[in-house]
Amino acid sequence: MSNIKPSLVKGTRDFSPQEMVKRNHIFDTIKTVFKKYGYAEIQTPTMENLSTLTGKYGDEGDKLIFKILNSGDFLSKANPELLANANSQKLISSISEKALRYDLTVPFARYVVMHQNDISLPFKRFQVQPVWRADRPQKGRYREFYQCDVDVVGSDSLLNEAEFVLIYQEALSNLGLKDFTIKLNNRKILSGIAEIIGKPELVIDMTVAIDKLDKIGLDGVSKELLERGFTDADLEKLKPVILLQGSNEDKLNSLRTVLADSATGMKGIEEIETVFKYLKGLLQSNPALSPDLELDITLARGLNYYTGCIFEVKTNEAAMGSIGGGGRYDDLTGMFGLKGLTGVGISFGADRIYDVLLELNLFPESVAAGTKVLISNFDEAAELYALPVVQQLRNANIAAELYPSAAKLKKQMSYADTKNIPYVILIGSDEMQSGALTLKDMHSGQQDKLSLEAIIERIKD
């Protein structure tokens, strides 16, 4: 039997202890801000019923859902005709009933419906868990990655949208990012544009196309729109709107003129203005928190369930796609039988944020701190002497290790170096007799003989 060389599934990663400390720094920083704004944590299962997820992300999203084959002989119940035709798309419903979750929003909607009698509205929750997408892996895009979602359902107040802008601003600033743009748009404005052109039925096609402006440029968007049923005359009306320039107020003024005959479009403009009004009030006491907020009409976010304000965050300090996004969904729970429950939420792309912080060297040195002090182990007597010492250090909330077996000093020092342990306590016969322990600073090389109490005082945070 040949040995199989171990490997990872493309688009997935292992995380070392050093990486986990940094990842948890991101999660903890973001969670702290979520809690500050009144959100509480839930978790949902890795797997959902395939029927729960299908049809919620548009055709392109549905293709990226990881399906799970039924247990046992999954082909025994498959449709023989479809099996013979080898049509996997049509066959899937008979061989797969479950799937890995594609995002955290649809499972959240399912949770709300199933627990509607146990929660009080508005229900404000956050969730930090992995999601899976059958995407082609590339820089900043993984098949398994974490999302940090924060949503509120049961409230149509646009105060929620304004606070989400501040949550982005505060959390990303606390992580050390200085130059990032929070982009804002409203799907009603996009629907209004489709109405004015006379193609309201093609609003989804339009949004999917113009959402790719950054990637494929205006020519690529125009080509795709023509393929999706728009005419050259439609494009002439669309281009000035897609290419809107100026301040947020300039853009709103232009849109008021363009969308004057669309009630839906004007409603979208009104909602954007309301968000700006709330932000002005919220920032009165702390103008320093003012975000770089840009009204971007090309921001569409291709997911079908958004109905109002939509968000996207991009860093200007590193070449990376969006590091966050979200929006308002007026009836997401309706597909599970609970009608008329509006919600709004945003997500932080933790994996992309990690890559950005790493590239910009923004992780604080303290974040990488692991074991603070190693106690040497030269023989059985020293080991027995060290046992209460290591525990007293831990009782003082100092991360401490006793080298697990007697060994030469060089080996123990090498271990401390490898783990970046800043201090080593050396315990030999002199130390055991006097009670004064030798503390070695691994950075400076300085050694001092101190009581355990003095050592604790020196090295504790």
Side-chain angles (χ1 to χ4, degrees), residues 49 70 83 87 111 115 136 143-144 168 255 293 301 331 341 424 436:
N49 290 319
N70 293 338
L83 193 57
N87 189 322
Y111 176 95
H115 296 269
R136 187 167 63 85
R143 286 174 172 163
E144 177 185 64
Y168 269 137
L255 287 170
L293 186 62
R301 297 199 64 79
D331 196 25
L341 197 62
V424 174

Side-chain angles (χ1 to χ4, degrees), residues 349-374:
D351 293 274
R352 288 187 176 186
I353 291 171
Y354 179 97
D355 289 346
V356 171
L357 297 187
L358 201 61
E359 183 178 331
L360 300 176
N361 196 28
L362 288 176
F363 285 106
E365 278 188 32
S366 58
V367 165
T371 300
K372 193 75 174 282
V373 59
L374 174 71

Side-chain angles (χ1 to χ4, degrees), residues 200-241:
E201 75 283 359
L202 292 180
V203 64
I204 298 297
D205 295 274
M206 184 187 83
T207 56
V208 168
I210 69 171
D211 198 37
K212 298 174 183 175
L213 185 68
D214 281 355
K215 296 175 186 171
I216 62 177
L218 186 59
D219 289 344
V221 170
S222 300
K223 182 171 179 284
E224 190 162 322
L225 287 169
L226 290 171
E227 290 169 356
R228 289 174 179 268
F230 289 85
T231 65
D232 286 319
D234 296 335
L235 296 189
E236 287 307 308
K237 295 177 187 174
L238 256 179
K239 281 178 184 177
V241 180

Side-chain angles (χ1 to χ4, degrees), residues 109-179:
R110 192 259 318 142
Y111 176 95
V112 169
V113 174
M114 291 185 67
H115 296 269
Q116 58 187 288
N117 297 323
D118 310 318
I119 60 177
S120 55
L121 298 176
F123 181 52
K124 301 173 77 171
R125 85 83 172 88
F126 71 86
Q127 211 169 330
V128 178
Q129 288 186 277
V131 299
W132 292 266
R133 295 185 185 176
D135 216 341
R136 187 167 63 85
Q138 53 188 282
K139 184 185 178 184
R141 180 173 292 173
Y142 305 100
R143 286 174 172 163
E144 177 185 64
F145 57 97
Y146 270 74
Q147 281 187 337
C148 304
D149 275 21
V150 57
D151 289 76
V152 53
V153 292
S155 169
D156 58 8
S157 171
L158 290 159
L159 173 60
N160 298 304
E161 276 87 335
E163 289 193 338
F164 281 146
V165 172
L166 296 187
I167 285 173
Y168 269 137
Q169 179 66 25
E170 195 166 338
L172 295 174
S173 295
N174 289 352
L175 287 168
L177 292 176
K178 292 181 175 62
D179 185 7

